[in-house]
Amino acid sequence: MSKRIIILGGIVLFVVLAWTTAWFVLAGVIRSNVEAQASNDGVTAPRLACGNLDIRGFPFRFDVYCTEGLIQSGDIAVALPLIRASVRVYAPTHMLVSAEGPLDFTDAFTGTRNRVAWTTLDGSIRLTDWRIARLSVAATDLVWSDTLVGETVVAQTPLAELHLLDIPEQHDAERGLAALAGYLRTEGVSYPGMTLTDTNAELELELTAVPNDVRSWSDPALLPTWQANDGELRVVSLRGSDADAQLTAAGGLRLDQAGQVNGQIDIQSTGVAERIGPLLEEPWRTLVLGVPAPDGSYTNQLNFESGTILSGLVPIATIPPLF
């Protein structure tokens, strides 16, 4: 009996030592991969640098703590006090993330400086065979401020959430294509610049014919491939309202072989034209929202033809080719 106990104890000890070694080896690989992001040029690939990088969670998690994080892409720089990412050993395709604010955003080209603060900011991403099953981000007590001169509140909301979900019935395994449903919701938005108070908004989208392997999303040919697969961005529903105004919109957009946007968006609104008067002067306000009906409502259709945005037959703006 004692011999069996010794053998069993030896096996347990071996497993513990083997897993301990494996955990620290994997933690080292994670550290190397994160630190490698700091060597990116910030132009062809975004650069992520951490003032301090720590990996915890032994034995059943990998918790990555990046303090004084800095993300740079071109002229854009984003600074965060703390970014956390966690993966459980027994669920390696499910990552939990969170961040502590405030986030400081600077644009060296325009000279703008902004800050976004929050109470909680949490997210998660779950993959199935490298295909997005669900991606979610939720934040509470968001406050966006302009910090170029002093600190002026631009907008705030007690709740904002974003979800991206796989649409299983549209998955094309043979062609390696997936479809995603997006949902964005905000509550109680306050935006003094447009005199918005206690405004609620919801946006529902569908994105079809995207590569089902997220590892290919960094491919420079992603947009041409999406176009060749007849991909579409569908605005299923956009709804926004407060006590005095409401707006709805729906439509769809595609790219042609030259990378130019085509499609249409239908817009209906009440009370919005009067609200945005100081920000969008005539004739642009009518070209975007349309002519008022006797009941005070507005209806219009924006058409996108080869990168040109038209209100009816009148061109009002252009979008450069996306590839």
Side-chain angles (χ1 to χ4, degrees), residues 202-205 232-239 247-253 263-268 300-304:
E202 293 183 353
L203 174 62
E204 296 181 51
L205 301 171
E232 181 182 16
L233 174 61
R234 301 170 185 159
V235 182
V236 178
S237 175
L238 168 63
R239 300 182 297 273
L247 180 144
T248 62
L253 301 173
Q264 64 183 42
I265 301 292
D266 295 309
I267 304 174
Q268 296 85 35
N300 196 29
Q301 183 179 87
L302 296 179
N303 295 296
F304 298 74

Side-chain angles (χ1 to χ4, degrees), residues 249-271:
L253 301 173
R254 297 176 181 267
L255 297 179
D256 61 21
Q257 294 182 346
Q260 296 176 315
V261 179
N262 292 270
Q264 64 183 42
I265 301 292
D266 295 309
I267 304 174
Q268 296 85 35
S269 64
T270 302

